[in-house]
């Protein structure tokens, strides 16, 4: 048993060392194999996961809850932020964290405000996992993205990866670029000028010697890339609806576009998708986004087990 992640909050990918990332990926692969062989896990029996979702989610909440159930654990949940918790009455997340200690062995939070997971973690003694905080971070999504890239491409090193769409507001691309940056990629950051990757992320990667090519031209990037990671324009982060309407359809991947991309390119998307990937692309062998979504189960099983010391 290894304890390098025991009792650790997972708030930002920058807090994770390479050996911790490797352990999560290896543990996920082990659990996936056990389940594929029809095995049953009971390592979280008698333990409780609290999921606190103040913003909508399909995938993150369902995969965390399923992961816990598949390991024999239990789940308590805040699913309607307006009625099923006391934050609406003014309760501070710090105090929620103090209370969670009495009910659960770990907690996952999704919230519209950057820094919210940290506030919950400041109050809680049990591990807190950031399930997405505003336009900030989504570390467990980045870990399942990494796991997916490793499975689809057979390696993590020396890949050319294009991140495309709303790079300003998309927390998944913020987390993934930090995390993948540890493996020496070449990046294309593809976005309209208004939705560029935050400069602190781009500058930090470049200071670490990583090649980052910023462009508005998706085709230019797709011709050269092993992986194309599409994202939707994040309507909920816009204050000006006209601006959203102007930018929302800026990129679209369809079969005609695939014909111009690098042969065998892997297409990923954190989901939900809108119009940035046409449904016809689902039939393409390299369309990995639903496999990527399924990879959330073993990755989140691994994270739950490792931070609670029950792997
Ligand atoms: N990728 C992702 O975070 O999806 P949900 O918003 O459905 O959880």
């Amino acid at each position: 048993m290894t304890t390098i992640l025991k009792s650790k909050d997972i708030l930002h990918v920058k807090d994770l060392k390479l050996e911790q990332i490797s352990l999560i990926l290896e543990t996920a692969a082990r659990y996936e194999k056990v389940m594929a062989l029809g095995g049953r896990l009971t390592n979280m029996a008698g333990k409780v996961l609290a999921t606190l979702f103040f913003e909508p989610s399909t995938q993150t909440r369902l995969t965390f809850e399923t992961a816990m159930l598949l390991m024999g654990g239990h789940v308590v949940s805040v699913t309607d932020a307006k009625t099923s918790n006391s934050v609406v009455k003014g309760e501070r997340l710090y105090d929620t964290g103090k209370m969670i200690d009495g009910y659960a062995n770990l907690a996952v939070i999704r919230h519209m405000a950057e820094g919210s997971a940290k506030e919950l973690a400041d109050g809680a003694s049990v591990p807190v996992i950031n399930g997405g905080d505003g336009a900030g971070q989504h570390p467990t999504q980045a870990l399942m993205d990494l796991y997916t890239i490793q499975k689809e491409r057979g390696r993590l090193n020396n890949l050319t990866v294009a991140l495309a769409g709303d790079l300003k507001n998309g927390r998944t691309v913020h987390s993934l670029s930090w995390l993948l940056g540890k493996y020496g990629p070449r990046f294309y950051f593809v976005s309209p000028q208004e939705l560029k990757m935050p400069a602190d992320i781009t500058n930090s990667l470049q200071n670490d010697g990583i090649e980052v090519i910023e462009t508005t031209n998706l085709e230019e990037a797709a011709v050269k890339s092993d992986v194309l990671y599409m994202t939707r324009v994040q309507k909920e982060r816009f204050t000006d609806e006209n601006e959203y309407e102007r930018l929302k359809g800026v990129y679209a991947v369809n079969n005609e576009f695939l014909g111009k991309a690098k042969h065998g390119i892997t297409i990923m998307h954190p989901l939900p998708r809108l119009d940035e990937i046409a449904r016809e692309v689902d039939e393409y062998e390299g369309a990995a986004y639903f496999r990527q979504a399924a990879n959330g189960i073993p990755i989140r099983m691994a994270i739950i087990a490792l931070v609670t010391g029950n792997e």
Side-chain angles (χ1 to χ4, degrees), residues 168 191-197 215-216 247 251:
K168 177 185 174 191
S191 71
Q193 286 299 329
E194 297 87 341
L195 300 177
K196 279 178 72 173
M197 184 70 83
T215 177
T216 57
L247 293 169
Y251 301 120

Side-chain angles (χ1 to χ4, degrees), residues 56-60 110 138 141 270-272:
S57 164
T58 304
Q59 197 188 139
T60 307
R110 154 85 50 107
H138 198 347
Q141 174 72 45
L271 306 178

Side-chain angles (χ1 to χ4, degrees), residues 53 55-63 110 131-132 138 141 144-145 171-172 229 232 236 269-272 292 300:
F53 278 69
E55 248 195 2
S57 164
T58 304
Q59 197 188 139
T60 307
R61 190 169 69 79
L62 291 184
T63 51
R110 154 85 50 107
H138 198 347
Q141 174 72 45
M144 63 191 254
D145 295 343
R171 56 195 170 206
T172 66
Y229 189 103
R232 76 184 163 93
E236 64 274 33
H269 193 301
L271 306 178
Q292 179 186 355
R300 286 169 172 140

Side-chain angles (χ1 to χ4, degrees), residues 48-293:
V48 176
L49 164 70
T51 55
L52 295 89
F53 278 69
F54 297 87
E55 248 195 2
S57 164
T58 304
Q59 197 188 139
T60 307
R61 190 169 69 79
L62 291 184
T63 51
F64 264 113
E65 296 187 356
T66 306
M68 188 64 173
L69 297 173
L70 285 171
M71 295 186 289
H74 305 277
V75 177
V76 290
S77 205
V78 169
T79 53
D80 179 355
K82 290 195 178 66
T83 58
S84 61
N85 73 94
S86 288
V87 172
V88 75
K89 294 185 282 188
E91 181 180 299
R92 302 293 161 101
L93 285 172
Y94 175 88
D95 289 351
T96 311
K98 291 271 173 220
M99 285 180 275
I100 289 288
D101 279 348
Y103 312 146
N105 302 90
L106 78 162
V108 181
I109 178 170
R110 154 85 50 107
H111 200 283
M112 55 297 270
E114 275 187 62
S116 50
K118 167 88 170 61
E119 192 187 337
L120 186 76
D122 286 345
S125 299
V126 296
V128 169
I129 298 167
N130 182 0
D133 61 336
Q137 282 281 307
H138 198 347
T140 66
Q141 174 72 45
L143 286 159
M144 63 191 254
D145 295 343
L146 216 58
Y147 187 64
T148 302
I149 292 170
Q150 189 173 52
K151 284 173 72 178
E152 298 287 328
R153 305 300 312 190
R155 68 183 199 279
L156 290 170
N157 289 309
N158 300 319
L159 289 166
T160 300
V161 178
L163 306 179
D166 186 350
L167 306 187
K168 177 185 174 191
N169 298 303
R171 56 195 170 206
T172 66
V173 285
H174 298 167
S175 290
L176 182 59
S177 50
W178 286 121
L179 206 55
L180 200 52
K182 292 177 183 288
Y183 297 87
R186 181 164 72 141
F187 277 129
Y188 281 91
F189 288 169
V190 187
S191 71
Q193 286 299 329
E194 297 87 341
L195 300 177
K196 279 178 72 173
M197 184 70 83
D200 63 317
I201 298 179
T202 307
N203 293 341
S204 172
L205 290 166
Q206 288 174 329
N207 288 340
D208 287 345
I210 291 159
E211 188 182 358
V212 179
I213 301 148
E214 294 188 279
T215 177
T216 57
N217 188 330
L218 185 61
E219 200 176 310
E220 173 199 337
V223 166
K224 302 274 185 180
S225 295
D226 303 300
V227 176
L228 170 57
Y229 189 103
M230 295 295 295
T231 62
R232 76 184 163 93
V233 176
Q234 307 257 308
K235 184 178 186 183
E236 64 274 33
R237 313 277 174 234
F238 279 72
T239 47
D240 180 348
E241 193 157 333
N242 293 331
E243 180 80 341
Y244 168 73
E245 290 296 328
R246 190 172 66 78
L247 293 169
K248 70 176 183 187
V250 65
Y251 301 120
V253 173
N254 53 25
N255 282 346
E256 187 191 345
F257 177 88
L258 278 182
K260 298 180 213 153
K262 184 172 179 179
H263 180 71
I265 191 170
T266 300
I267 309 290
M268 295 175 64
H269 193 301
L271 306 178
R273 73 170 151 180
L274 300 180
D275 297 325
E276 57 279 347
I277 301 179
R279 202 179 279 189
E280 65 186 17
V281 176
D282 297 0
E283 305 304 318
Y284 166 59
E285 197 182 352
Y289 30 94
F290 291 118
R291 295 192 289 276
Q292 179 186 355

Side-chain angles (χ1 to χ4, degrees), residues 40-47 69-73 310:
R40 191 164 163 263
L41 291 157
T42 55
N43 51 318
M44 293 304 294
K47 303 287 192 291
L69 297 173
L70 285 171
M71 295 186 289
N310 292 289

